[in-house]
Amino acid sequence: MNNSKQPADFLSPKFLRAVFILFMAVAAAPEAGRSAPAELETARKHAAQAQAFIEAYYDQVILPRKTPTQTYEARKMRLSAWAEAEKALRILEAHRAEKKGLIISDRLLAGNCRLIMVDTDRPAMQDEKDREAILQTALAEFSELRELDPKNPAALAGLIEIHRLRLDRAAGLAELGEAGGRVSASTVLALSAGRFLMEMEDPESALSWIRKAEGGPDYRVHLYLAAALHMSGDGEGAKREARSALRLRPSCEAASFLIEHIEAYDAARRGRSPGHRGSRHLLAAGVAFEQRGDHSLSIHFFEKSVEAMPGDARALYLL
């Protein structure tokens, strides 16, 4: 008896309405397919530009204290990174609101854009509340992505960056300890962990993480190794890695300056004047002593740099 009623059920108004709704959804799909990828592709291009600018910014600073080698260039890169990250985030969030969601890779992009905006100290953030609100949103995003895929190195890298920006040593170490051997050390994760640990003044642990990314063609691995080796007191090893970074990226100002920084410090420590190398070498000596906490000698070399090159914006900025 039930079998005899089945054909009538397929012609019921409820069934026909469901078919009509499905037909309309399929008919509308091509239009949505044309618009959504275009806007997301634009957002991805802005995010890629923001990442390129933030990398260029770190080419202009000496880790871990972000001492600038070229103040004007570093500032220009920071502002450009912030502007591109904000453009990307605006598009991604509009798409999320309209289309009810983003795929995982785009959610990672949105989280990274927020971190770039905080890392560059965007001009619109006038107080700590703005900064913390952005970090809190990023934390929720990366935490949820980590729960969806506990082995996702990009999600863990995002969480480590948040703890670095918050200067939260305990939380960052807990994340790295919990990850252990369960998360593959991608270059992004290795560098995020390395930079976090350098800023927490733990160069030995930083080296162990950065070395997990060795073997690839990424100049940043050598640059971060150089910074960590320099922090740990291995000047020759730091210069060797800095030269490797320069071979891969000749425009990396931070690697070039780090070599001069080490040589100037060694010369000054032995009582030899680095003045024969000019204002830049004097500046490098000043930076070296400043990073080691010897402020009287750092001021002395900054003043000498200004004497050798009056109006030197970098030395005046550091003074």
Side-chain angles (χ1 to χ4, degrees):
M1 185 168 183
N2 288 341
N3 290 340
S4 64
K5 290 184 178 181
Q6 283 181 355
D9 290 341
F10 281 110
L11 296 177
S12 67
K14 186 176 181 181
F15 176 77
L16 292 174
R17 183 172 177 273
V19 171
F20 175 75
I21 292 172
L22 180 61
F23 172 79
M24 293 300 291
V26 171
E31 182 62 30
R34 283 194 295 270
S35 60
E39 66 185 29
L40 288 177
E41 192 59 35
T42 299
R44 291 163 190 158
K45 286 178 181 177
H46 285 306
Q49 282 293 314
Q51 187 62 40
F53 280 126
I54 199 68
E55 287 180 16
Y57 165 64
Y58 277 105
D59 283 355
Q60 299 288 336
V61 300
I62 296 178
L63 297 173
R65 291 181 176 83
K66 298 185 182 178
T67 303
T69 64
Q70 298 280 355
T71 54
Y72 173 75
E73 286 298 320
R75 183 175 182 274
K76 184 171 71 174
M77 295 304 169
R78 281 174 49 229
L79 293 177
S80 298
W82 160 69
E84 293 295 327
E86 188 182 48
K87 289 175 188 175
L89 188 59
R90 192 184 306 123
I91 296 170
L92 289 168
E93 289 305 328
H95 180 85
R96 193 201 305 253
E98 293 171 7
K99 311 297 181 182
K100 308 298 183 184
L102 292 169
I103 62 174
I104 288 177
S105 60
D106 287 332
R107 291 182 66 184
L108 287 169
L109 278 184
N112 285 330
C113 285
R114 286 189 169 88
L115 297 184
I116 288 173
M117 291 163 72
V118 173
D119 204 13
T120 53
D121 299 322
R122 72 186 187 115
M125 287 194 298
Q126 298 298 324
D127 56 44
E128 191 65 24
K129 290 182 180 178
D130 291 332
R131 186 177 188 272
E132 183 57 31
I134 292 176
L135 286 176
Q136 193 62 40
T137 304
L139 179 63
E141 187 91 83
F142 284 118
S143 296
E144 186 175 335
L145 291 170
R146 178 87 185 278
E147 288 179 11
L148 291 172
D149 182 5
K151 294 185 178 181
N152 188 329
L156 176 57
L159 291 171
I160 296 301
E161 283 294 293
I162 292 169
H163 301 318
R164 179 182 70 82
L165 292 166
R166 282 177 161 173
L167 299 178
D168 193 337
R169 180 188 178 92
L173 292 176
E175 290 285 358
L176 291 174
E178 186 181 339
R182 295 189 295 109
V183 180
S184 59
S186 67
T187 298
V188 171
L189 175 56
L191 296 182
S192 291
R195 187 163 61 179
F196 166 77
L197 291 163
M198 279 192 281
E199 292 194 15
M200 298 301 112
E201 299 186 350
D202 187 354
E204 297 301 328
S205 296
L207 283 168
S208 68
W209 269 97
I210 300 167
R211 282 174 172 149
K212 293 180 181 182
E214 278 188 295
D218 197 321
Y219 78 98
R220 294 174 301 166
V221 174
H222 297 287
L223 179 60
Y224 281 43
L225 282 172
L229 287 167
H230 177 46
M231 283 187 71
S232 64
D234 185 355
E236 290 304 311
K239 287 194 290 184
R240 183 174 60 252
E241 292 295 340
R243 291 188 183 105
S244 295
L246 283 170
R247 279 194 293 272
L248 292 169
R249 190 175 176 113
S251 63
C252 184
E253 182 76 6
S256 176
F257 196 80
L258 182 60
I259 294 170
E260 293 191 26
H261 173 108
I262 295 167
E263 291 176 349
Y265 174 74
D266 289 342
R269 189 179 55 182
R270 292 195 298 268
R272 292 165 47 200
S273 171
H276 67 284
R277 297 289 290 277
S279 174
R280 179 183 168 102
H281 213 55
L282 288 163
L283 183 64
V287 170
F289 282 106
E290 185 272 332
Q291 291 198 346
R292 285 166 173 75
D294 194 332
H295 301 299
S296 60
L297 274 174
S298 70
I299 291 171
H300 167 75
F301 282 108
F302 291 151
E303 289 174 342
K304 289 290 185 184
S305 178
V306 172
E307 288 175 14
M309 186 69 70
D312 187 329
R314 294 166 297 170
L316 290 170
Y317 171 85
L318 290 166
L319 271 172

